[in-house]
Amino acid sequence: MPRQKVPDIEFNHFVLGQINDLFAQEKIYINPAYQRGDIWKHSQKIELIRSIESGYSIGVLVLFLNDLGKYEILDGQQRLLAIKKYLDGTLDLTETEFTAYQDLERRERIHTDAYCIYYLKLKSHDTESREEDIVQTFLRLQEGTPLNKAEKISAHRGAFKDAFKEAGDASELFKRMSGDKRFRLRLLAAEMLLLELEGDFENKIFPSLELQSFISAIKTYKKRVPPSKLRFYMANLDLLHISLNYLLTALKPSEALALYLLVSYLRKHKAGNQNLPNEISAFAKEFLKKLNSFSIYDKEAPKGMPGEIFQKYRAYKFAAKVMTTPESLKSRFEMILGEFARLKPHIEKDPKRYHDEEQKRELFFRQEGLCAHCGKPMDFRKSTADHVVSHGEGGKTDDLSNAQLLHERCHQKLEKSRRKQRKKEIAAGNLTRAGKAP
Ligand SMILES: [Zn+2]
């Protein structure tokens, strides 16, 4: 057993009459990381007021004194919020035996105001482990209402948490999706980030989306999330936002997740992606229409849908019900990628990016040692191989009829003029989809 963590504890109390002032002066602070909102049922609040009125204990709160001298509520948020509502007069007391706080007679009021609310004040003296101690303490105190996964993940700190929290709160994608489910969307942002960081898209192997995967990601990426991955993730969110637009308002998180996997994969692997947002947009409309055209319990395909397509979408719906397992993620990813390929035929980039030494040698002798651009002799060691149809637009590396060997300088010149040509064509609106060029 590890040594017990003994925090710096002090036992103390407020009186009930102070509570409103403490909130007003922001002495009591509900750390947004632990913000659970007002989740108690009305009957639980009334029961609490009954305890107070009868002079019984409402238990002991746990507060953490932070560096700003404010009390962060680790345990007791629901109790304090209920008391505050009672004091504000916003707690519905009809059908109870209680008089509203504002209407109490002087003597009763003094009596009520003097009710002691006991608390433990924690101050961690170990600055190194302090953050973790607070989180762990919070996670273990739950006022009888267990935290859900989103709340548990949100309570942690570190770079991974900062990244998905910022995305979940600020990205246009989630704003468009938002409703009354902030924590669910934050969890969705966390899920997408986890899949981006830990997913193996090539081999379709994804981490489970159970709490344990998040806890280990929080540890792995405590100090930093690789910036390039983070940029890629943010750009995926932007692309989804642009492509889906108003469809987002009715989109379920599980479908957003599948579309995320698709977009992330296509951005890395599909050749010629200038038009990707429009392609995703058109695809998503068709995909979501089919998906929502029948219920999971339907045994027969809806009118106009071939049986085998129906079976595919039906299997997808079943997989989407089990949202967190690697198998479910894999089968949904395969299905959506397959559907995209069927509805939007496209060319994948050659996984092999560069020509190897053997291929270059073959080109060298095929061209009899002469540069394919200027026709002058080359030094083999200083020559470079070029894709005629570029790699990004689907040019195959192993197809040597699509390759030529050039002087380095000639290669640079050629690239420059290609870029110019490309700009012109885009400006003229001729270039809609790459991979179809020459
Ligand atoms: Zn040359």
Side-chain angles (χ1 to χ4, degrees):
M1 202 175 98
R3 238 186 62 211
Q4 188 183 350
K5 295 176 190 304
V6 185
D8 190 349
I9 296 185
E10 190 187 304
F11 186 59
N12 211 328
H13 71 273
F14 304 124
V15 294
L16 191 113
Q18 270 182 292
I19 297 296
N20 259 352
D21 282 347
L22 288 169
F23 271 106
Q25 296 159 10
E26 295 180 340
K27 288 257 172 60
I28 293 180
Y29 169 67
I30 300 178
N31 187 325
Y34 315 130
Q35 175 89 56
R36 302 188 65 192
D38 187 358
I39 56 172
W40 260 12
K41 292 198 200 90
H42 182 252
S43 59
Q44 285 176 290
K45 293 174 192 158
I46 295 298
E47 234 8 85
L48 183 87
I49 303 305
R50 187 163 288 126
S51 298
I52 292 172
E53 287 292 313
S54 325
Y56 291 127
S57 164
I58 59 163
V60 178
L61 313 183
V62 182
L63 307 176
F64 171 74
L65 185 64
N66 71 20
D67 294 338
L68 303 168
K70 293 181 180 186
Y71 291 101
E72 289 185 24
I73 308 170
L74 293 187
D75 191 35
Q77 188 177 326
Q78 299 307 316
R79 279 166 285 178
L80 282 173
L81 287 176
I83 290 170
K84 193 170 176 307
K85 277 190 113 174
Y86 171 65
L87 296 175
D88 290 344
T90 54
L91 184 64
D92 182 9
L93 297 174
T94 50
E95 291 175 36
T96 72
E97 69 276 28
F98 305 124
T99 311
Y101 177 73
Q102 282 72 14
D103 300 334
L104 291 175
E105 284 168 24
R106 200 179 125 75
R107 271 187 51 138
E108 286 174 320
R109 183 146 178 171
I110 289 169
H111 188 75
T112 301
D113 277 348
Y115 180 88
C116 287
I117 298 166
Y118 295 97
Y119 63 87
L120 290 176
K121 183 174 86 180
L122 303 187
K123 251 170 94 176
S124 175
H125 37 222
D126 180 355
T127 50
E128 264 296 288
S129 70
R130 187 174 61 192
E131 302 275 321
E132 190 58 20
D133 289 349
I134 298 168
V135 169
Q136 290 303 332
T137 306
F138 171 71
L139 291 176
R140 282 163 174 71
L141 300 167
Q142 298 170 12
E143 289 196 310
T145 311
L147 297 171
N148 64 36
K149 185 166 75 180
E151 290 172 326
K152 280 183 186 160
I153 296 167
S154 283
H156 286 270
R157 301 181 186 198
F160 180 84
K161 188 312 193 39
D162 294 343
F164 77 72
K165 182 175 171 289
E166 193 189 324
D169 294 353
S171 156
E172 293 299 324
L173 170 70
F174 300 111
K175 276 190 194 156
R176 204 79 211 252
M177 286 181 77
S178 84
D180 187 24
K181 26 180 193 185
R182 189 165 61 93
F183 269 114
R184 180 63 190 94
L185 292 177
R186 211 185 263 178
L187 177 63
L188 180 61
E191 289 170 343
M192 290 171 172
L193 181 59
L194 181 72
L195 292 172
E196 189 59 55
L197 292 172
E198 305 275 277
D200 173 354
F201 285 71
E202 279 70 43
N203 298 305
K204 305 184 174 76
I205 300 168
F206 298 103
S208 105
L209 299 178
E210 290 299 323
L211 183 61
Q212 213 37 54
S213 302
F214 289 100
I215 302 299
S216 75
I218 283 163
K219 282 191 187 131
T220 309
Y221 305 102
K222 194 172 181 60
K223 291 259 166 1
R224 88 191 246 287
V225 175
S228 62
K229 292 241 181 184
L230 194 56
R231 273 197 302 277
F232 196 77
Y233 163 77
M234 297 301 286
N236 289 341
L237 300 183
D238 284 347
L239 196 145
L240 276 175
H241 169 242
I242 294 165
S243 311
L244 300 176
N245 205 342
Y246 64 91
L247 296 180
L248 287 169
T249 55
L251 195 64
K252 283 196 284 189
S254 60
E255 264 66 271
L257 197 69
L259 286 163
Y260 179 91
L261 292 177
L262 178 69
V263 161
S264 181
Y265 180 84
L266 292 177
R267 284 191 62 222
K268 278 175 241 165
H269 297 278
K270 189 171 120 1
N273 270 338
Q274 298 86 345
N275 204 24
L276 191 59
N278 288 332
E279 288 166 346
I280 292 291
S281 173
F283 168 74
K285 279 172 198 159
E286 214 162 330
F287 178 75
L288 294 168
K289 190 162 93 186
K290 284 196 170 67
L291 196 63
N292 288 290
S293 66
F294 63 92
S295 124
I296 198 165
Y297 304 108
D298 290 352
K299 296 248 156 45
E300 309 242 329
K303 238 181 156 184
M305 188 185 280
E308 69 184 294
I309 304 294
F310 171 64
Q311 290 309 332
K312 266 203 266 183
Y313 277 82
R314 195 157 175 271
Y316 173 94
K317 275 181 186 264
F318 275 105
K321 285 189 87 169
V322 194
M323 285 169 34
T324 54
T325 64
E327 294 74 26
S328 160
L329 289 161
K330 180 180 181 195
S331 70
R332 280 184 288 158
F333 174 58
E334 282 175 338
M335 188 280 187
I336 200 168
L337 193 58
E339 272 303 88
F340 185 85
R342 186 174 74 87
L343 298 168
K344 306 268 155 216
H346 64 277
I347 302 164
E348 299 237 342
K349 284 184 210 166
D350 193 332
K352 189 173 165 206
R353 175 71 184 88
Y354 297 106
H355 296 94
D356 60 33
E357 194 76 0
E358 278 310 300
Q359 292 177 314
K360 281 175 68 181
R361 207 178 300 277
E362 190 178 332
L363 292 171
F364 186 83
F365 289 113
R366 188 178 81 185
Q367 294 170 209
E368 296 176 352
L370 304 176
C371 170
H373 186 67
C374 67
K376 291 181 185 150
M378 295 177 291
D379 179 337
F380 179 69
R381 288 162 300 175
K382 289 181 185 161
S383 65
T384 69
D386 172 53
H387 291 81
V388 178
V389 172
S390 82
H391 178 260
E393 293 174 10
K396 298 278 179 263
T397 304
D398 276 344
D399 174 8
L400 285 191
S401 69
N402 184 46
Q404 56 187 359
L405 208 59
L406 305 165
H407 286 119
E408 268 179 44
R409 269 194 63 98
C410 288
H411 199 182
Q412 285 164 7
K413 262 191 222 160
L414 195 60
E415 283 297 328
K416 202 173 163 187
S417 76
R418 278 172 181 160
R419 276 197 297 273
K420 240 182 175 169
Q421 181 62 23
R422 200 166 187 80
K423 261 190 189 163
K424 252 195 214 160
E425 288 181 37
I426 288 172
N430 298 335
L431 200 73
T432 47
R433 238 188 90 188
K436 285 201 167 167

